[in-house]
Amino acid sequence: MASVTEAQESESVGTVVVAGAANLAIAAAKLVAGVTSGSAAMLSEAAHSFADTVTEVFLFVALRRGAKPADEEHPFGYGKESWVWAFIAALFTFVAGAGFSIYHGIETIVEGEESGPFLASYIVLAVSFAAEGVSFLKARRQIRTESSRWKVTTRRFLRLTPDTTVKAVYFEDSAALIGLVLAAAGLGLTELTGNSLWDGVSSIVIGLLLLVVASVLAGSNVSLLVGRAVPRRVHSAIAAEIAALPVVTAVPTLFTMQLGPDGILVAAKVDFADDAPGGEIEKVSDEAERRLRARFPEIRYVFLDPTRGEPGRNHLDGGLDA
């Protein structure tokens, strides 16, 4: 039977693959419609979808590279590499998607551009909305499942999750759906007024939307690469679990760090009872690791350092405040 983390990885891969396939088909259709109609918004949407397709490739690589087992060169595994590739994906969205959309929108406003016919573009936008919707619903289902497992709201899960691949798909699909509505609005206003200004404005707004998404995703990955702690609720639960063990009188210091989307390192200074024999301390240390892994399967490493402390004074309310 697959472990919880293996099942999560498999579902994340499925989410990325579905999103990538949908974006590739949509990008081709948008490009044809954009070239045919001369619409800046449609061409921006095509660039958006092509950028998202390449992004999904980066995210797929992130999942595969991050899942490599630990070795002597990387004793804590390759989990953080997934954030490197996810960060590159965010930068690509920033440059290729947002940059092209904003530039082409400004060019359309300044120089003006003949556009039409519009029917093909409307059809492509409608079909694209349906396809993006399927990808979005899959990502949302995974996020709701995970947030339910962690007993947090969807919004809180999106803020705290170290699985930035599914987070990227969710945000990008959300941006894609909003972008399609903006493109349709730009086309509609251009058709009604005969002024390509609206088409250009729509393209710029789509670019700004991508800029926001890319910035949020890049910031999340940078934070994790630097070495982010687990959420405060999990930190306190870990401290309480260790403190509840026999012969443990306090946990004065507790540090945690995300090693990857499904990996956590725990390091703590633990005050054991002064009369506890060495054998008992070893036994309790093994029990601490067993209990923590049973409660939080993502925990990969547990290091306990016997140290003098003040009985009952535990390092609570640490970790990521959110």
Side-chain angles (χ1 to χ4, degrees), residues 91-257:
L91 290 182
F92 189 84
T93 299
F94 178 88
V95 175
F100 177 85
S101 298
I102 294 173
Y103 171 80
H104 198 57
I106 293 173
E107 184 180 46
T108 299
I109 293 173
V110 173
E111 298 182 4
E113 194 170 297
E114 293 295 328
S115 56
F118 297 93
L119 180 59
S121 295
Y122 290 135
I123 293 173
V124 168
L125 288 174
V127 173
S128 298
F129 194 89
E132 291 284 7
V134 171
S135 177
F136 171 78
L137 290 174
K138 178 171 177 53
R140 188 180 69 171
R141 183 171 64 250
Q142 181 179 355
I143 286 171
R144 284 186 171 179
T145 299
E146 287 300 300
S147 59
S148 176
R149 187 171 73 86
W150 284 99
K151 298 179 181 179
V152 295
T153 63
T154 299
R155 182 177 180 181
R156 183 176 174 81
F157 175 80
L158 284 170
R159 170 169 163 71
L160 300 178
T161 180
D163 188 353
T164 55
T165 53
V166 70
K167 180 176 180 177
V169 172
Y170 181 85
F171 275 37
E172 288 168 1
D173 285 347
S174 299
L177 292 172
I178 296 171
L180 289 168
V181 173
L182 291 171
L187 283 175
L189 289 170
T190 297
E191 185 177 14
L192 287 173
T193 64
N195 189 344
S196 61
L197 167 70
W198 298 108
D199 193 33
V201 169
S202 176
S203 180
I204 292 173
V205 175
I206 291 171
L208 293 175
L209 176 64
L210 291 177
L211 191 64
V212 171
V213 170
S215 299
V216 170
L217 293 176
S220 295
N221 285 292
V222 167
S223 175
L224 288 161
L225 281 169
V226 170
R228 200 181 76 184
V230 300
R232 177 160 295 179
R233 182 177 63 86
V234 177
H235 174 104
S236 295
I238 291 172
E241 196 74 52
I242 297 174
L245 289 165
V247 307
V248 172
T249 61
V251 184
T253 304
L254 172 63
F255 295 129
T256 62
M257 183 170 65

